[in-house]
Amino acid sequence: MADEVDEAAIVKDEANFDVEDEVQDWKFLNKSLASSGIPKRGEKEFAPDGTQVQNSSLQESRNAMYDALEGVRGHHLKSKLIAVWIASESKCIMPHARGNYFRDMGIPIHIGSKVKDGVELNSLEAVYLVERGSVVIYLGNESYDEFLKSSQESEFDYDSLIAMDLEFLYSVAFNNTGYSLDQYQIYSYLKRLGYLVQDFKQITKTDQRTRLPMVPSTLSVIPSFLNKIMATTVVKYLQSRLRQWGFLSYPLFHSLHFMTKHYFRYTDIYKSLRLIPAYSTHDSVKENLEASGYSITFNVWKPTPSFSKKNPPFPDFQVAVANTDSAKFPTLQTIQALHNSLNYTFPNERKTQVVPAVRQQKKNTMPPSKKVIRQKKQQERQSKLDESVRKKNDYNRKRDNLLKYGSNGRTVVIAVIDSGILNFVNLSEGDFSLQSSTDLEDIFPREDHGIIYNEK
Amino acid sequence: MNEEAVFQYIEQYASSEELEEKAAQPDSGIVDLPVVSLAQNPDVLIFDVRNIRILREKYGILGVLTGTLAQYPQQNFFLSVPLKLFIWEVIWLVESGKARLVDQARYRIEKARRLAEGGRIENDNRVLLSKNEKHDNSKNTQENREPNFVVTKNTDTSKKCEDFIAEYEIPLRDYLNAYIKSSSLKIEDILSRYHNFKYLKEMGFFMNPGLKFGGDLVIYPGDPLRFHSYSIVKFNMVDLQDLVVGGRLATSVKKNIIILGDEENSSNDLNDNIEACLNRPPQKVAFSIEWAGFG
């Protein structure tokens, strides 16, 4: 049945290769971006040999780079977009916001009769827009403050303010504003790729713990009254210390300490060996956990034309920024705490998706893609199989997916920065016990869908 | 690797007179390293392309470009200023007297204050860009000579104010203390890593941060704009498995892996102050490893 497993397709080397990993040859900048979009890898050499040819071609690449860095950052005077940095409040005001940039950026503001279509930008948004040349920014002063407050004057001469260069803007935007350069690097990376990005906030009114529906608890190795003692902070602290020193390899009140140690079944032995009890979906929501050193920084959406800043949909990704210099390796507790603070709806809260009225589909004149052909073939092959075998295949596929990605779909992206180099890691919650999965229940009703060995 | 060639070629640019002319501070020759915020973001970001050039060509310091390239703002292959220097590059430059750290936020705010006070605000943020540069000289009408673009510059290079930047210099000790506060590394680890960097730097290698290839540093025999890297450097190996992992990974990207550490009994006495320790490199040992894929 091996040919039915699509995921097993071997990933080819070229597909794994990431162009961003290579040091780019700036000579290709103008040629490649104008034409195809993806720069080619430059021809490189292995060691300096001191020849003139080598030196001059290196200098050519360098000069191309310097020229690009000195390139013009700006926009046409006709569509001039002005922002003012208000130093006293560490924020940026744009009196007249025009253009496509404000679908996800800025908070609308009204100041008197003058500023009606204005927005207030935070440090990240202001720096991003100025850096890409879409906005020019001036440093506000007292007379600008007065202009905003007064009701008479309607025009302001922005040339009486200092036009800030990029270096100046960076030094005020990331100095005591609560925003870090690491956050900005992740923010601008995602924005350049076209994602919609906002500061992380809860979209639902209450957090996950208060909305948690009643679900049957999993079998626990720890009796409930002991559980309460375990939850006290003193015990938790002691336990973590003891574990650090290697004295206590399994939990303090683990049944292994009290029970007689005669085993008649393998399951018991395995159970007694496990350090982290397998927990089922949403079990970690019940605990009040703390994410030390980590917090979710951004809500991120794939670009969609119907995005509303006022009523944003649930984010496609939720990103926590961490620096290799300062952040420690995340503990299980930290990861669970991050999952608990996510924007997340429980299955019972999810409305059935309203299927939009079927639009007249344009007739597709393109030949079907390889993927479509493969899917079609697989469907044909499946339909020839016996009913029971098909059911079994379906069950296994669904269960594999649940084991792999967890049955609740809670996922946090950790953006790791090391001296300016970015990496994105996806952390989902796996579930090996699969106790309350209606999807699987529909196909094969049974007590336990998990992969934990249960001897009967 | 041909070390002599690397040296020759660095020296060649070091002596180039053209470069001296273009230096931002031609009198002192010391590069200013702007620190964004000592308390919160102790990063060094360089916006002045002249300084980026000096660092690259004279001192072989690369840094990482992190800003949006305004000409092509929707891609991540080619980035622009600011150039972010990583901590070892900063320490090396300052410790060897090639650069000084500047408290940029305070310096620029004071500069702006002095400008406003003197009533000398003259914004030169408008330029003339013609669509077709070929016809630039021949067919320009009067109307076309008016500036048509409004721009934001990388940095302020004008000399509207008297030079008072020296008042905002940050001593290396203060900078290191700020860094240590925000870092989870211990002082002895910071020192040991810095000495690893310095050891390789003084052998003439060009270096980039190593996370892209799973190491601590990636080293190049010359400027990476022109030359391949063939080594990933790792500072710590815990066990044999790490060794195999590192070797396999490096070999798969056509590189070898170098383990670098202190010779036994040669590490610093931490009772001394940090600056003294920076000056006393311990003996280093290095091994290079390739994964032997038999068959």
Side-chain angles (χ1 to χ4, degrees):
Chain A
M1 229 146 278
D3 33 344
E4 256 130 33
V5 187
D6 261 344
E7 291 100 314
I10 297 156
V11 185
K12 298 223 174 60
D13 245 355
E14 266 311 293
N16 257 340
F17 170 76
D18 188 348
V19 225
E20 278 177 40
D21 280 347
E22 286 282 310
V23 174
Q24 306 300 336
D25 191 340
W26 288 76
K27 273 187 289 186
F28 291 89
L29 173 67
N30 283 310
K31 291 176 208 161
S32 60
L33 282 175
S35 55
S36 67
I38 295 168
K40 285 182 214 110
R41 277 191 275 176
E43 299 266 307
K44 286 194 189 175
E45 295 176 61
F46 282 98
D49 53 12
T51 56
Q52 197 56 43
V53 181
Q54 207 178 46
N55 285 346
S56 61
S57 73
L58 169 61
Q59 205 52 42
E60 203 184 312
S61 290
R62 280 173 164 173
N63 290 341
M65 179 174 105
Y66 302 139
D67 284 349
L69 299 189
E70 295 270 30
V72 174
R73 172 189 298 108
H75 53 279
H76 207 277
L77 259 178
K78 276 180 201 156
S79 53
K80 191 175 178 186
L81 210 48
I82 291 173
V84 179
W85 181 261
I86 309 290
S88 55
E89 293 168 60
S90 296
K91 68 179 187 198
C92 170
I93 281 180
M94 184 175 288
H96 301 287
R98 278 172 287 123
N100 252 333
Y101 311 114
F102 306 101
R103 282 196 307 156
D104 58 331
M105 296 167 120
I107 305 162
I109 46 162
H110 304 277
I111 304 175
S113 57
K114 281 184 295 277
V115 178
K116 281 173 188 157
D117 51 353
V119 290
E120 185 188 307
L121 301 172
N122 64 31
S123 294
L124 305 178
E125 294 163 339
V127 175
Y128 173 73
L129 285 175
V130 172
E131 193 175 75
R132 76 198 296 289
S134 313
V135 167
V136 282
I137 192 163
Y138 293 88
L139 181 66
N141 60 9
E142 287 96 15
S143 64
Y144 189 74
D145 287 348
E146 273 165 34
F147 158 74
L148 286 179
K149 278 176 206 150
S150 81
S151 51
Q152 285 108 39
E153 293 159 79
S154 58
E155 289 293 317
F156 189 84
D157 174 24
Y158 285 96
D159 270 328
S160 68
L161 301 175
I162 294 173
M164 296 170 88
D165 54 81
L166 195 62
E167 184 178 43
F168 194 3
L169 177 60
Y170 262 79
S171 64
V172 294
F174 300 110
N175 189 28
N176 296 322
T177 53
Y179 288 100
S180 72
L181 281 162
D182 290 338
Q183 285 170 4
Y184 178 68
Q185 229 192 316
I186 300 293
Y187 178 84
S188 61
Y189 182 90
L190 293 170
K191 287 296 290 177
R192 281 192 293 266
L193 289 176
Y195 288 101
L196 303 165
V197 187
Q198 284 187 343
D199 277 356
F200 173 78
K201 63 166 186 277
Q202 286 292 342
I203 286 169
T204 48
K205 282 192 186 93
T206 52
D207 69 343
Q208 286 180 37
R209 265 159 57 79
T210 55
R211 288 183 290 119
L212 178 67
M214 293 304 290
V215 280
S217 171
T218 35
L219 54 144
S220 167
V221 276
I222 305 155
S224 66
F225 74 93
L226 286 176
N227 227 340
K228 274 178 193 154
I229 305 172
M230 292 288 298
T232 60
T233 40
V234 183
V235 176
K236 265 193 180 166
Y237 174 77
L238 265 178
Q239 193 181 321
S240 70
R241 263 297 128 96
L242 282 171
R243 274 203 208 177
Q244 259 176 21
W245 297 329
F247 287 137
L248 203 63
S249 49
Y250 41 86
L252 193 57
F253 290 102
H254 194 282
S255 49
L256 198 58
H257 292 289
F258 310 107
M259 277 176 0
T260 48
K261 292 173 184 73
H262 296 289
Y263 296 113
F264 298 102
R265 296 196 311 169
Y266 283 117
T267 308
D268 292 335
I269 298 175
Y270 292 140
K271 268 185 186 167
S272 74
L273 284 174
R274 63 184 173 188
L275 296 180
I276 305 160
Y279 60 87
S280 120
T281 306
H282 302 137
D283 268 9
S284 61
V285 188
K286 292 170 200 159
E287 291 177 66
N288 196 5
L289 299 164
E290 221 175 284
S292 52
Y294 285 80
S295 64
I296 304 175
T297 323
F298 297 120
N299 280 339
V300 180
W301 295 268
K302 289 175 194 163
T304 100
S306 59
F307 185 81
S308 150
K309 198 157 60 173
K310 243 184 197 166
N311 294 311
F314 266 78
D316 297 312
F317 309 99
Q318 296 171 71
V319 180
V321 177
N323 193 308
T324 50
D325 251 359
S326 49
K328 293 204 170 82
F329 193 85
T331 58
L332 175 67
Q333 206 190 38
T334 299
I335 296 167
Q336 286 176 335
L338 283 178
H339 281 145
N340 281 354
S341 50
L342 284 172
N343 276 305
Y344 178 73
T345 45
F346 294 99
N348 64 328
E349 291 174 317
R350 281 171 213 158
K351 289 171 213 146
T352 43
Q353 287 231 323
V354 184
V355 184
V358 185
R359 260 183 283 158
Q360 278 278 304
Q361 285 230 327
K362 271 187 202 161
K363 207 173 183 188
N364 202 347
T365 48
M366 294 283 282
S369 69
K370 273 185 187 166
K371 199 179 164 189
V372 176
I373 295 173
R374 211 178 328 135
Q375 272 174 353
K376 226 180 200 170
K377 268 190 188 161
Q378 205 173 324
Q379 256 175 14
E380 269 171 37
R381 229 181 303 149
Q382 286 279 336
S383 63
K384 282 175 203 153
L385 291 171
D386 187 67
E387 170 76 10
S388 66
V389 181
R390 249 192 296 169
K391 219 168 150 188
K392 176 103 186 144
N393 283 344
D394 195 29
Y395 177 82
N396 281 341
R397 209 190 57 242
K398 277 189 176 151
R399 196 179 73 155
D400 279 356
N401 266 331
L402 287 172
L403 290 171
K404 236 199 251 169
Y405 303 112
S407 47
N408 57 18
R410 295 198 300 173
T411 298
V412 63
V413 178
I414 305 216
V416 188
I417 303 189
D418 169 42
S419 337
I421 310 286
L422 313 184
N423 273 271
F424 294 90
V425 182
N426 218 340
L427 289 180
S428 316
E429 201 169 28
D431 181 356
F432 289 164
S433 59
L434 293 180
Q435 296 245 320
S436 51
S437 169
T438 45
D439 267 7
L440 299 179
E441 209 68 34
D442 288 347
I443 308 173
F444 282 131
R446 57 167 84 155
E447 213 178 292
D448 191 349
H449 302 276
I451 54 165
I452 299 165
Y453 181 65
N454 272 319
E455 215 171 358
K456 287 280 142 60
Chain B
M1 111 124 244
N2 188 351
E3 274 169 38
E4 214 161 292
V6 177
F7 274 123
Q8 266 178 10
Y9 137 118
I10 294 170
E11 269 165 26
Q12 186 190 337
Y13 290 111
S15 61
S16 128
E17 277 176 31
E18 180 202 29
L19 196 66
E20 294 296 324
E21 255 176 35
K22 285 187 175 176
Q25 295 87 23
D27 29 337
S28 62
I30 291 177
V31 181
D32 288 328
L33 304 180
V35 178
V36 174
S37 161
L38 194 59
Q40 281 188 320
N41 297 298
D43 296 85
V44 170
L45 298 184
I46 304 199
F47 292 80
D48 193 332
V49 178
R50 294 174 307 181
N51 282 341
I52 291 177
R53 189 186 182 111
I54 293 171
L55 290 178
R56 194 172 193 108
E57 300 188 2
K58 198 167 167 185
Y59 302 132
I61 290 289
L62 304 168
V64 179
L65 289 167
T66 60
T68 308
L69 188 65
Q71 299 94 305
Y72 301 101
Q74 298 292 150
Q75 47 86 35
N76 283 311
F77 304 117
F78 291 102
L79 295 178
S80 182
V81 292
L83 182 86
K84 185 170 178 168
L85 297 190
F86 65 111
I87 179 76
W88 321 124
E89 293 177 322
V90 174
I91 302 176
W92 184 78
L93 283 167
V94 178
E95 191 225 343
S96 54
K98 297 178 172 66
R100 64 179 171 189
L101 295 156
V102 177
D103 190 338
Q104 193 65 14
R106 282 177 55 225
Y107 167 63
R108 291 306 302 269
I109 289 164
E110 173 63 16
K111 194 172 180 182
R113 197 188 63 80
R114 289 191 190 193
L115 263 180
E117 213 170 53
R120 278 172 295 181
I121 301 174
E122 285 163 31
N123 292 328
D124 51 348
N125 61 347
R126 289 180 182 80
V127 294
L128 170 66
L129 286 183
S130 52
K131 272 181 192 163
N132 200 341
E133 281 180 26
K134 280 175 200 163
H135 302 290
D136 217 18
N137 301 320
S138 52
K139 282 187 181 175
N140 255 356
T141 58
Q142 191 61 36
E143 190 190 31
N144 281 352
R145 292 222 176 87
E146 290 290 305
N148 58 357
F149 259 67
V150 55
V151 296
T152 300
K153 300 204 159 150
N154 287 343
T155 178
D156 183 20
T157 50
S158 61
K159 294 254 185 287
K160 288 179 207 152
C161 268
E162 68 275 27
D163 190 35
F164 58 95
I165 195 165
E167 291 168 33
Y168 292 96
E169 188 178 337
I170 302 172
L172 182 58
R173 178 195 299 253
D174 292 1
Y175 179 77
L176 280 175
N177 281 334
Y179 176 77
I180 289 165
K181 223 182 264 175
S182 73
S183 167
S184 63
L185 286 175
K186 291 185 203 131
I187 298 178
E188 53 260 42
D189 290 333
I190 293 176
L191 279 172
S192 151
R193 280 165 196 231
Y194 169 64
H195 281 303
N196 287 342
F197 174 87
K198 192 177 178 182
Y199 174 77
L200 293 165
K201 183 83 197 92
E202 280 166 4
M203 288 176 81
F205 290 108
F206 283 66
M207 277 171 276
N208 263 338
L211 192 61
K212 275 177 186 170
F213 299 107
D216 291 304
L217 293 170
V218 183
I219 58 173
Y220 299 82
D223 191 324
L225 285 180
R226 193 70 215 150
F227 302 105
H228 286 294
S229 155
Y230 33 81
S231 295
I232 299 167
V233 180
K234 237 176 138 50
F235 297 159
N236 286 306
M237 285 280 178
V238 183
D239 52 24
L240 268 177
Q241 204 170 13
D242 273 5
L243 201 81
V244 177
V245 169
R248 287 187 82 126
L249 191 94
T251 308
S252 74
V253 287
K254 300 193 183 93
K255 298 180 193 351
N256 61 15
I257 190 149
I258 291 175
I259 311 174
L260 183 59
D262 296 354
E263 191 98 69
E264 228 172 315
N265 303 326
S266 75
S267 37
N268 268 300
D269 182 7
L270 283 167
N271 295 323
D272 285 350
N273 70 52
I274 300 178
E275 275 155 320
C277 291
L278 288 176
N279 276 319
R280 250 199 334 259
Q283 282 290 314
K284 293 284 173 193
V285 272
F287 301 93
S288 82
I289 291 165
E290 265 175 84
W291 182 51
F294 281 106

